[in-house]
Amino acid sequence: MMSLNEILDNVKKSYIMLDLKANNKQEAISEMLIYAESNGLRINISKTIDCMFKKENIISSGLGYGVAFPHLRTKEVQENELIFAISKPGINYYALDQKPVHLLTMFLTPIDKSDKYLQLLSLMTKISKLSMYTVLLLESKSQEEFKDKLVIMVKDIIGGK
């Protein structure tokens, strides 16, 4: 089980894109991975993008309600990596409800650390069910503000102080 501190560390070291330019799912995935790689994430970018596209072609990670959770278990990372992106106009992500996606949470996780990844995915899914989740995060004016809001939501969900 992940501790509150482990979860918060993942949030604090995450990559945040406040103005995703993509118009569709493939562009969003590419833009998010390129952004994270250009900001310090060490991955084979073309291999990771290709693997993510293949996974998304099987089933869309667009859950509806304006959120999507693209995720990949990969040998490319040693620790769980989170990449968040906001698309104010929304993108066609082929979400279950067929509505535009405004908030994307991408998970890259090591193949041998699935338990922690599943806990993070479960937590983010619970947070996304909060009625104001997307609205509050979409209003963030800076990466720090986004992370601060997310930390509060994490603590509210798991009961931390």
Side-chain angles (χ1 to χ4, degrees):
M1 189 76 171
M2 288 183 80
S3 70
L4 175 60
N5 285 338
E6 285 179 295
I7 294 167
L8 296 179
D9 284 346
N10 274 271
V11 168
K12 290 174 185 171
K13 72 175 187 130
S14 64
Y15 301 90
I16 313 289
M17 294 185 69
L18 296 175
D19 190 21
L20 190 68
K21 304 286 187 228
N23 293 309
N24 61 50
K25 180 195 310 195
Q26 289 77 17
E27 289 175 5
I29 288 168
S30 297
E31 189 177 341
M32 290 172 74
L33 288 168
I34 290 167
Y35 173 84
E37 195 264 347
S38 69
N39 282 280
L41 180 61
R42 297 292 162 234
I43 56 173
N44 177 324
I45 194 78
S46 60
K47 182 178 179 181
T48 306
I49 289 171
D50 185 51
C51 290
M52 189 69 79
F53 284 176
K54 286 178 183 173
K55 185 168 176 58
E56 285 291 324
N57 284 336
I58 295 169
I59 187 166
S60 178
S61 59
L63 299 183
Y65 304 102
V67 299
F69 292 98
H71 52 282
L72 183 66
R73 291 175 58 215
T74 178
K75 293 178 182 175
E76 293 294 315
V77 295
Q78 302 303 311
E79 297 295 327
N80 287 307
E81 299 288 349
L82 292 171
I83 307 164
F84 295 95
I86 293 173
S87 171
K88 293 204 182 351
I91 60 169
N92 180 4
Y93 203 90
Y94 303 100
L96 296 176
D97 62 2
Q98 299 300 307
K99 294 188 177 165
V101 166
H102 296 278
L103 183 61
L104 295 94
T105 303
M106 182 179 287
F107 297 87
L108 299 176
T109 190
I111 290 176
D112 62 341
K113 295 187 179 176
S114 294
D115 58 331
K116 291 184 178 187
Y117 150 75
L118 291 173
Q119 290 171 35
L120 274 174
L121 180 60
S122 174
L123 175 64
M124 292 302 160
T125 303
K126 286 177 187 172
I127 290 173
S128 73
K129 292 180 181 177
L130 298 173
S131 60
M132 294 302 291
Y133 170 73
T134 305
V135 174
L136 287 172
L137 293 175
L138 287 176
E139 293 174 349
S140 299
K141 303 284 189 254
S142 68
Q143 293 178 356
E144 293 75 24
E145 181 183 353
F146 183 100
K147 288 179 184 182
D148 289 345
K149 288 177 180 179
L150 192 54
V151 164
I152 290 167
M153 291 175 190
V154 166
K155 288 178 178 180
D156 285 348
I157 290 288
I158 62 176
K161 302 202 180 210

